[in-house]
Amino acid sequence: MLKSLMGASLLLSGFYANAQMNTKVYGYIDGYYERSADVPQVGTNEKEKNAGEFDTPNIHALIMSSKDSYKTFLNISGSGGEQLDVRNAWVEKELLGEKLTFRIGKLYRKFGLYNEILDAVPTYIGIEPPEMFDTDHLMLTRTTNAMFHGKTNVGSDGQINYALTTGNDERKFDAQSIGLDVNYTIGTNWKIGASYYNSGGRAQSVNYGDASSNAGQADPGAGGVLNWMLHDTYDVTGVYVQYTDAKWIVQAETTTSNHDATRDAAIVGDICNLTTGATLNDRQRARFNCGGPINLDGDYTSSTSYARVGYIIPLTEGSITPYAQYDIYENPETIWQEEYGGDNEAGLADNGKFDKATLGVVYRPDFNVALKADYSEHIQKVFGKQANYGEVRFSFSYFWSL
């Protein structure tokens, strides 16, 4: 018996010695404060007073492990400090070296500049995500289930990166989504790319039929289908560019989504009900045909664009980076009240559109810490009048590793 145990022990020791396993444990913690000025309301000339709000929107523990041509990744989130959930859990295998790798599990899709890095708040300029990743009005799911991805060198310092994704997403029946992201990088300075997503058939909101939606919460499981749609076939197309050097960070992206959707008459009827339903403006009531047979044709197009510019100023210790950003978002279908899956920004405006101008600063005393502060002005029309309001935010984020 003793000889058997010694033999097993030697075998295990030899296995781990030859495995060359490399495991890293790290994470991010982000403390946050926001206060909005008095916000206009639909259906009244009064403005709603807002108190400041404290939050911990990003609490993440991440484990990355690799061995030979295999890799695994686990991202556990405690956002809000209330409960834990698994944001990512995947394994991957190189098939043709760096040229082709297969990944499967629960993973952030490659889409645009920000989808994969939103958790890593200390690393980028800005506090809030670009509007397409705001959980009030996501344009598609942040996560999916399978990906083929790779990269290949072009010339002396060029590289093409590509990814093909698919998964459960929001599919209804046998729909099979497909996502594609391709970008070209030149050294460490330029990245120019395009992203595409197609629901692959009928999709349904993860909150379908539930008047209490995930809107406003850090839920990467929400997606591009509105709660009151019986089903929706849609696609999303985006192009982006980024330039970085020792001083400058410049980013721009524009994204459009086309929806071929059918509304649920019962849910929209409840939304239209003046007594128990949502508060709609005249355009929204006409769009739904409130007061008559509900208009089931829910076709619409939403779009968003942003530009971000930061300038890095080195200090004796650390750096300071003033930045500016401008966001535009338009969605003619959404409504105001979040409890029905609406959006209190685009849904507030007469035409479903708002602009947001932001000025801010990032102070990094060292690599691991980022203190950010910014001010945004929301720009939109409500009841035919300009009804702007401001927001101030503060973020204190820390990167840690073992």
Side-chain angles (χ1 to χ4, degrees), residues 76-93:
I76 299 174
S77 170
S79 297
E82 300 296 331
Q83 60 185 12
L84 297 178
D85 68 271
V86 177
R87 289 292 177 86
N88 304 118
W90 50 257
V91 294
E92 73 173 22
K93 171 72 168 71

Side-chain angles (χ1 to χ4, degrees), residues 38 73 76 93 108 119 127 167 171 184 202 219 221 231 235 269 271 278 282 303 309 348-349 367 382-383 394:
D38 296 350
F73 180 70
I76 299 174
K93 171 72 168 71
Y108 287 150
D119 297 341
I127 296 177
R171 70 180 179 191
Y184 175 61
R202 292 182 174 183
D219 176 20
H231 53 77
D235 60 47
I271 290 173
D282 290 342
S303 62
V309 180
L348 172 68
F367 171 79
V382 180
F383 292 135
F394 173 75

Side-chain angles (χ1 to χ4, degrees), residues 112-153:
L113 293 173
Y114 274 87
N115 191 50
E116 288 190 294
I117 67 170
L118 284 180
D119 297 341
V121 286
T123 64
Y124 54 81
I125 59 173
I127 296 177
E128 289 200 325
E131 291 301 325
M132 70 173 294
F133 296 120
D134 189 316
T135 51
D136 285 3
H137 42 245
L138 283 171
M139 299 186 80
L140 71 168
T141 60
R142 285 193 63 201
T143 59
T144 190
N145 301 107
M147 175 167 65
F148 288 94
H149 66 103
K151 56 187 176 182
T152 186
N153 295 327

Side-chain angles (χ1 to χ4, degrees), residues 14-31:
F15 172 79
Y16 284 113
N18 294 324
Q20 297 181 334
M21 184 175 290
N22 181 24
T23 300
K24 298 179 181 178
V25 181
Y26 58 101
Y28 312 98
I29 299 175
D30 178 31

Side-chain angles (χ1 to χ4, degrees), residues 176-242:
Q176 193 62 61
S177 67
I178 186 169
L180 178 67
D181 182 88
V182 179
N183 65 70
Y184 175 61
T185 59
I186 304 173
T188 58
N189 298 119
W190 285 97
K191 177 185 282 188
I192 303 167
S195 301
Y196 177 75
Y197 176 83
N198 192 296
S199 64
R202 292 182 174 183
Q204 192 172 73
S205 169
V206 294
N207 301 310
Y208 172 71
D210 184 358
S212 176
S213 79
N214 297 6
Q217 301 178 21
D219 176 20
V225 182
L226 293 167
N227 290 21
W228 53 89
M229 296 300 183
L230 185 64
H231 53 77
D232 187 350
T233 301
Y234 72 101
D235 60 47
V236 187
T237 304
V239 293
Y240 55 90
V241 62
Q242 174 177 274

Side-chain angles (χ1 to χ4, degrees), residues 351-373:
N351 57 359
K353 178 183 178 181
F354 71 91
D355 295 17
K356 185 171 72 174
T358 303
L359 292 175
V361 64
V362 181
Y363 170 56
R364 290 189 171 92
D366 61 37
F367 171 79
N368 296 85
V369 179
L371 291 90
K372 307 178 187 180

